[in-house]
Amino acid sequence: MKSFSHTTVVMAIALAVSIPLSFVACSETTSAINEESLAFLEPLPESPSLAPESSSAIPESSSAIQSSSSEVVSLMNGKECTAENEGVVDTMWVGNIKYGSLGYYRCEKGEWVQKTPAVTCDTTGANVGDVCTRIQKVGFFGGHESRIVYIYKGNDEWDIFYGLEKMTKECNAANEGLKEKLTYHSVDTNDITVFFACSHGEWKNTTEAYYECMTEKTALGDTCSIESNGEVQYYRYLFDDGYNSGWAECTFDLEHGYCTKDYSSNFSHHLWDEITPFLYHVSPEGNYYCQYGKWKPAKFVPRQYTDSRKSGLTDEEYDILELPKNAKVGDREGGLLEDCYNDMVMPFCGPSEWIDEMYDYCMPKNYYRYRDNGTWTLETDQERETDPSFHSGQECTAEREGVETVFPPEPHVPGRIYRCISGNNVLEEYIFGRSGNNN
């Protein structure tokens, strides 16, 4: 998959979704572009769960030893379980070489009994309520590691740790919004501190940033810093989900301010209009955009942040400010509100193959259509779905040699112009709102 950079890292531009295959060929020697080759939205890690991650079922294999926690085997790794090695713990891969997990076994009364990874936790000096962390190798050739935390229950028994074991307060209507910080002594690593918030009658795991920074007066865009172990961590509040990860980790620059390091998968599409303003720093010395914790020079900034006419107008009022007065029914125009993309790598058809080119451009957030009552109103999804110009295309034949086909732009998505050349509809150029390339 190609690597793409993006100003807001939110909209994967599925340029090939609605294009017939005959409209994506670069030449007879190149293959069609698919959606995967154009997607650049990469998943980002969420906060680790206190409970173990689940793994896929292990496929059957004639060479695998299939067992569950309640089953025993008499021979493991060629070793017998005898009185001499009573209590010894050993491991064995369970499943086949491609899919499976590392199984833990302890010799008990002549049988190898399957255990959890907690069987390797040292109980010497452990007190009830202490915790132990283990890494379980699962998945493709054991390449995936799952962090599991256990809590000591006494008598050599460990249970899955959920973090609420020390909680003494009830989560009820009277305690709605209450935050709690609980620390557990670890027998093998640093002590583990967990944070909870009371929400709708349930204690929910939250983040240190939420615990330390969240107040009743917190508003979108607020910033916060936390000092821990001599280091300062910076955060910006980007959305409110009631209890969890609305605080995004940032870097801090004296000249440009806070810059978000990454974007949680919790940031759903409708939140980007709220988040986008904080990704830009507009100054007399130059404009910058925030990408993965670094401020970079911005060739384009959404005009709503630099246009003096925006002052005093709502987004809706500003968006329609330049829609033409003299139009005919069915005309389509983009509004002034924009999303901008700096240093975007996009595929382009070269002389004989697809190549990557760098673009800087802005696209209208909204498109409008002129109605028979003399007004402009927002274009609907249904109108785009039923408009043949967004989807249809004709095969490139000798009779159509040189004919141009235009696919109009959509919100956030550039349009495309194809030309019929030697049996292939070749991408000739993109249609942007504003662009520093090919426009």
Side-chain angles (χ1 to χ4, degrees):
M1 181 182 294
K2 294 181 175 68
S3 175
F4 295 82
S5 60
H6 188 271
T7 303
T8 58
V9 196
V10 59
M11 284 77 66
I13 304 179
L15 300 179
V17 171
S18 59
I19 311 173
L21 288 180
S22 60
F23 274 77
V24 293
C26 186
S27 71
E28 291 183 359
T29 60
T30 57
S31 59
I33 288 183
N34 54 31
E35 292 179 51
E36 181 183 7
S37 67
L38 292 167
F40 57 87
L41 184 62
E42 297 182 358
L44 299 168
E46 299 182 29
S47 300
S49 172
L50 296 175
E53 301 175 22
S54 60
S55 59
S56 301
I58 302 171
E60 294 184 2
S61 169
S62 59
S63 62
I65 298 178
Q66 303 293 334
S67 60
S68 69
S69 58
S70 62
E71 294 175 335
V72 295
V73 292
S74 59
L75 188 66
M76 194 214 22
N77 288 339
K79 301 176 184 177
E80 292 186 6
C81 175
T82 64
E84 287 72 21
N85 57 5
E86 177 73 17
V88 169
V89 174
D90 205 345
T91 60
M92 178 179 65
W93 189 257
V94 180
N96 58 36
I97 195 170
K98 190 173 182 180
Y99 302 103
S101 62
L102 191 64
Y104 292 78
Y105 295 84
R106 183 165 60 192
C107 177
E108 297 180 357
K109 299 178 180 179
E111 300 286 353
W112 289 104
V113 182
Q114 188 176 21
K115 299 291 184 180
T116 69
V119 72
T120 62
C121 292
D122 187 5
T123 58
T124 304
N127 297 312
V128 173
D130 286 351
V131 294
C132 172
T133 303
R134 286 293 176 264
I135 303 298
Q136 172 72 308
K137 294 181 180 295
V138 298
F140 188 77
F141 292 100
H144 178 69
E145 293 184 343
S146 176
R147 175 178 176 264
I148 309 176
V149 182
Y150 299 95
I151 187 166
Y152 190 53
K153 310 300 285 187
N155 298 321
D156 289 337
E157 294 295 328
W158 297 85
D159 281 347
I160 292 295
F161 172 72
Y162 293 101
L164 288 166
E165 286 79 1
K166 285 189 176 182
M167 186 69 71
T168 59
K169 298 177 182 178
E170 182 181 354
C171 178
N172 50 33
N175 284 335
E176 181 71 18
L178 183 68
K179 297 180 289 185
E180 285 292 317
K181 174 181 178 180
L182 306 173
T183 300
Y184 295 79
H185 176 261
S186 176
V187 299
D188 60 345
T189 61
N190 296 328
D191 290 351
I192 293 178
T193 300
V194 291
F195 305 90
F196 288 90
C198 176
S199 176
H200 300 94
E202 180 182 358
W203 287 110
K204 297 182 178 179
N205 180 232
T206 188
T207 62
E208 182 179 15
Y210 185 94
Y211 178 85
E212 297 288 351
C213 302
M214 195 69 181
T215 69
E216 292 181 355
K217 297 181 179 179
T218 297
L220 188 71
D222 284 356
T223 58
C224 177
S225 60
I226 301 173
E227 184 172 353
S228 179
N229 299 321
E231 295 184 356
V232 178
Q233 182 60 63
Y234 301 94
Y235 297 89
R236 184 186 289 279
Y237 188 63
L238 294 181
F239 73 95
D240 180 14
D241 67 357
Y243 63 91
N244 200 357
S245 53
W247 290 93
E249 190 174 349
C250 300
T251 58
F252 178 74
D253 180 272
L254 287 174
E255 183 177 358
H256 306 301
Y258 286 70
C259 176
T260 307
K261 287 185 177 180
D262 56 30
Y263 304 94
S264 167
S265 59
N266 289 327
F267 293 160
S268 56
H269 181 85
H270 74 278
L271 293 170
W272 285 104
D273 284 347
E274 300 175 354
I275 295 171
T276 301
F278 307 115
L279 301 178
Y280 293 97
H281 177 232
V282 178
S283 68
E285 294 75 27
N287 300 326
Y288 294 83
Y289 70 98
C290 163
Q291 185 180 62
Y292 295 120
K294 295 182 180 180
W295 287 105
K296 300 181 179 181
K299 298 181 182 67
F300 286 102
V301 172
R303 70 179 84 207
Q304 58 266 30
Y305 305 139
T306 59
D307 191 342
S308 60
R309 297 177 298 171
K310 178 66 170 67
S311 178
L313 297 179
T314 65
D315 283 353
E316 291 77 12
E317 291 170 337
Y318 177 73
D319 204 23
I320 64 173
L321 200 60
E322 291 187 357
L323 294 180
K325 305 300 181 184
N326 297 321
K328 62 179 183 295
V329 175
D331 281 356
R332 183 177 188 262
E333 294 286 341
L336 287 181
L337 296 174
E338 291 180 319
D339 285 303
C340 292
Y341 306 82
N342 292 275
D343 299 327
M344 171 66 74
V345 179
M346 297 170 63
F348 196 82
C349 196
S352 61
E353 62 181 355
W354 287 97
I355 59 177
D356 286 340
E357 288 193 356
M358 190 81 73
Y359 293 85
D360 307 286
Y361 64 89
C362 298
M363 295 297 299
K365 282 180 175 289
N366 305 302
Y367 283 88
Y368 295 82
R369 300 216 181 203
Y370 195 71
R371 311 300 178 180
D372 54 11
N373 63 358
T375 63
W376 290 94
T377 61
L378 281 171
E379 176 184 66
T380 66
D381 292 340
Q382 184 177 6
E383 283 177 318
R384 285 195 300 274
E385 291 171 1
T386 56
D387 188 334
S389 61
F390 287 94
H391 312 291
S392 63
Q394 297 182 38
E395 184 180 355
C396 179
T397 61
E399 292 74 19
R400 298 190 69 253
E401 182 71 19
V403 174
E404 184 182 88
T405 301
V406 178
F407 290 87
E410 302 181 49
H412 318 297
V413 180
R416 288 90 57 201
I417 298 177
Y418 291 85
R419 190 173 299 280
C420 175
I421 300 176
S422 302
N424 290 288
N425 286 296
V426 177
L427 177 63
E428 193 165 77
E429 64 177 293
Y430 291 106
I431 304 173
F432 300 112
R434 291 190 293 147
S435 172
N437 302 70
N438 299 339
N439 213 14

